[in-house]
């Protein structure tokens, strides 16, 4: 009778899970003694139970204990097949026999004729009509539905369309692991910052399934928020490290965060346990920056550092997760060498580079054992008319009262030479005056004025040696004419400030060319 009740509970649980409904409000499910199929290893069986337990209600945590009880030594589960009239060990019998001699016995091997006699109460007979055999198709359907749910969540949390910066071309691809393998927490993102700067990030959350995808979504949202602060890469990782520990003390993740600055044509980056980025120069030379990598996020107690690598015109950078280069039959160093070799010959647009890397490293939906995420950045070489749309120049300022008129005259000549509209020229000269005057009042020499245009915007930036960031203040009265940052905020499309390397800052504003 006990076995019949147990079989009924388990059967109804599977039906509920198959229909996507909560598990029944019954007691702990019995150990499923029926094998899914002949010649299935116990490790595979435990994996199936993992899938079933995820589909059932949270209250049935006891399945973890049941799975542990069927995690036997390396052998097949043939001896545990159920046929009408066969014997099955119940959880109670497992505990009794384990307490006696520490060994879980096979009911078929120990008792080939399926007799109840002489088993000392260790097994219970299962009537022929108990129908306790686990249906392979049901379990497979549950597993597939869970996997598809995780993939849907994963894809919905990844960028639906990459942001395209003014100065860079980008492309990416994500490929989940092979069929019937739980997906991981791979992710990537491109974030446009102010002053035409661009942040990029790629990461891999440890673990599999919906949980890993959910943590990945939280990290991606956090990175986008932290990126808006325009912090150095290592400071962003420090914030993420604390966040991962708050999400789950037992959770870790690898991450590589980088910021491209068109003023210097350099990529500043920091890595938390992630694989190194790889850069191919315009001349075809491929290399990895020699910068120390910190431990994964969530470990705590580590001060991350930032490094830089040149990304000149014609250069391409590749950020990726371990699924791209790791194989069961290949060492990771060999995988890195294969990636470098493939990148050396992968010419063309970022999208074409993605396709060639996929082919060269044999990334398919059917064979890869792990998720694969790849993000490509390319600083295109521009010539002729296109090159004229991307220009920059600078003026060094000693920090004297005469700097403001000098800066106005310099900006007026440059903007006229760039053939901008008269309205935009006037706004640009006015913004230049206010930024330089603000630096003279509240900053420290030496100073520098930078003017930069792309095909989409005009950027005006003033650097000084004081790291105190300006804030927009409310006018004391309605009759006060706006000036300084308040005036900049009114006339510019956007503005901002950030601390620079060392002990200085940059204050910038930009104007959309289409709006001029």
């Amino acid at each position: 009778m006990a076995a019949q009740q147990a079989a009924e509970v388990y059967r109804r649980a599977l039906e509920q899970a198959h229909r996507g409904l909560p598990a029944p409000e019954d007691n702990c499910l019995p150990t499923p003694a029926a094998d899914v199929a002949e010649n299935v290893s116990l490790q595979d069986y435990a994996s199936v139970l993992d899938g079933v337990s995820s589909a059932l209600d949270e209250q049935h945590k006891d399945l973890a204990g049941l799975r542990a009880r069927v995690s036997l030594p390396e052998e097949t589960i043939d001896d545990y097949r159920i046929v009408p009239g066969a014997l099955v060990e119940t959880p109670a019998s497992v505990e009794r026999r384990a307490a006696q001699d520490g060994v879980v016995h096979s009911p078929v091997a120990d008792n080939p004729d399926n007799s109840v006699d002489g088993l000392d109460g260790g097994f219970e007979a299962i009537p022929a009509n108990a129908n306790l055999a686990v249906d392979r198709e049901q379990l497979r359907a549950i597993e597939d539905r869970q996997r598809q749910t995780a993939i849907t969540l994963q894809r919905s949390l990844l960028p639906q369309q990459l942001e395209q910066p003014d100065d860079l071309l980008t492309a990416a691809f994500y490929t989940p692991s092979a069929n019937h393998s739980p997906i991981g927490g791979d992710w990537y993102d491109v974030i446009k910052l102010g002053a035409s700067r661009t942040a990029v990030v790629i990461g891999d959350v440890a673990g599999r399934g919906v949980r890993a995808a959910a943590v990945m979504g939280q990290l991606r949202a956090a990175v986008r928020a932290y990126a808006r602060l325009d912090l150095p890469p290592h400071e962003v990782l420090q914030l993420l490290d604390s966040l991962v520990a708050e999400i789950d003390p037992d959770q870790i993740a690898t991450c590589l965060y980088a910021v491209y600055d068109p003023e210097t044509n350099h990529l500043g980056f920091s890595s938390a346990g992630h694989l190194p980025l790889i850069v191919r120069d315009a001349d075809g030379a491929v290399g990895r920056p020699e910068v120390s990598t910190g431990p994964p996020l969530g470990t705590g107690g580590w001060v991350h550092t930032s490094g830089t690598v040149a990304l000149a015109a014609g250069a391409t950078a590749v950020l990726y997760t371990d699924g791209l280069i790791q194989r069961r039959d290949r060492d990771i160093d060999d995988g890195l060498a294969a990636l470098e070799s493939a990148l050396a010959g992968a010419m063309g647009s970022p999208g074409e580079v993605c396709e060639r890397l996929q082919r060269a490293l044999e990334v398919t939906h059917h064979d890869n054992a792990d998720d694969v995420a790849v993000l490509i950045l390319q600083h295109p070489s521009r010539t002729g008319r296109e090159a004229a749309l991307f220009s920059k120049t600078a003026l060094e300022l000693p920090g004297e009262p005469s700097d403001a008129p000098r800066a106005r005259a310099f900006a007026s000549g440059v903007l006229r030479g760039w053939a901008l509209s008269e309205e935009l020229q006037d706004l640009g000269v006015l913004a230049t005056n206010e930024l330089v005057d603000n630096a003279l009042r509240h900053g420290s020499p030496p100073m520098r004025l930078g003017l930069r245009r792309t095909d989409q915007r005009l950027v005006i930036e003033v650097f000084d040696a004081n790291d105190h960031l300006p804030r927009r203040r409310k006018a004391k009265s309605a009759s006060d004419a706006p000036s300084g940052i308040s005036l900049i905020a009114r006339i510019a499309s956007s503005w901002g400030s950030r601390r620079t390397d060392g002990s200085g800052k940059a204050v910038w504003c930009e104007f959309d060319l289409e709006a001029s």
Side-chain angles (χ1 to χ4, degrees), residues 78-242:
D78 292 343
D79 290 340
Y80 290 87
R81 288 177 305 212
I82 292 297
V83 294
L87 299 174
V88 62
E89 270 196 300
T90 63
S93 69
V94 171
E95 292 175 357
R96 287 196 301 270
R97 297 178 68 81
Q100 292 171 5
D101 56 14
V103 179
V104 179
H105 296 267
S106 163
V108 179
D110 292 353
N111 190 33
D113 60 356
N114 289 328
S115 172
V116 181
D117 298 333
L119 291 182
D120 194 25
F123 299 91
E124 296 181 15
I126 300 298
N129 62 354
N131 192 27
L132 190 59
V134 179
D135 180 41
R136 171 192 285 182
E137 296 302 321
Q138 276 189 308
L139 289 178
R140 180 63 70 190
I142 293 171
E143 183 184 68
D144 288 345
R145 185 164 58 252
Q146 293 167 350
R147 185 173 185 274
Q148 289 304 316
T149 298
I151 290 176
T152 300
L153 176 61
Q154 176 91 339
R155 291 193 182 279
S156 68
L157 294 174
L158 289 172
Q160 302 304 300
Q161 184 174 359
L162 284 181
E163 295 186 10
Q164 293 298 328
D166 295 359
D167 298 87
L168 298 177
L169 300 178
T170 65
F173 71 83
Y174 166 74
T175 303
S177 55
N179 292 337
H180 308 306
S181 297
I183 68 163
D186 296 19
W187 59 289
Y188 57 84
D189 207 352
V190 176
I191 308 164
K192 294 170 67 173
L193 306 177
S196 294
R197 290 154 52 85
T198 303
V200 294
V201 62
I202 195 163
D204 188 357
V205 176
R208 298 277 183 153
V210 174
R211 174 63 179 170
V215 173
M216 176 273 288
Q218 295 179 72
L219 289 182
R220 179 177 174 239
V223 168
R224 294 192 71 85
Y226 294 150
R228 304 300 179 189
L229 300 176
D230 220 338
L231 299 171
H234 65 276
E235 292 190 21
V236 171
L237 292 190
Q238 294 292 156
L239 294 173
L240 289 175
D241 184 47
S242 300

Side-chain angles (χ1 to χ4, degrees), residues 274-330:
H274 204 80
L275 291 165
L277 66 88
I278 298 178
V279 178
R280 186 192 66 215
D281 296 334
D283 59 4
V286 176
R288 304 173 227 163
E290 296 295 333
V291 176
S292 61
T293 297
L297 303 176
T299 56
W302 183 267
V303 178
H304 292 275
T305 58
S306 293
T308 59
V309 61
L311 197 67
T316 299
V318 179
L319 290 74
Y320 53 96
T321 57
D322 56 0
L324 180 67
I325 62 172
Q326 282 188 326
R327 299 290 185 275
R328 291 188 179 94
D329 58 348
R330 183 173 65 191

Side-chain angles (χ1 to χ4, degrees), residues 416-448:
R416 191 184 313 113
W418 286 345
L420 301 181
S421 67
E422 291 188 7
E423 179 185 4
L424 189 53
Q425 290 181 42
D426 292 340
L427 289 174
V429 171
L430 178 57
T432 297
N433 181 76
E434 295 302 317
L435 289 179
V436 171
D437 184 66
N438 189 73
L440 291 171
R441 290 172 178 269
H442 308 290
S444 302
M447 303 173 184
R448 181 163 59 90

Side-chain angles (χ1 to χ4, degrees), residues 362-383:
E362 301 177 343
V363 176
T364 71
H365 292 279
H366 305 290
D367 298 330
N368 49 302
D370 196 3
D371 294 21
V372 178
V374 174
L375 177 60
I376 306 293
L377 309 179
Q378 191 175 87
H379 183 186
S381 296
R382 299 181 173 94
T383 58

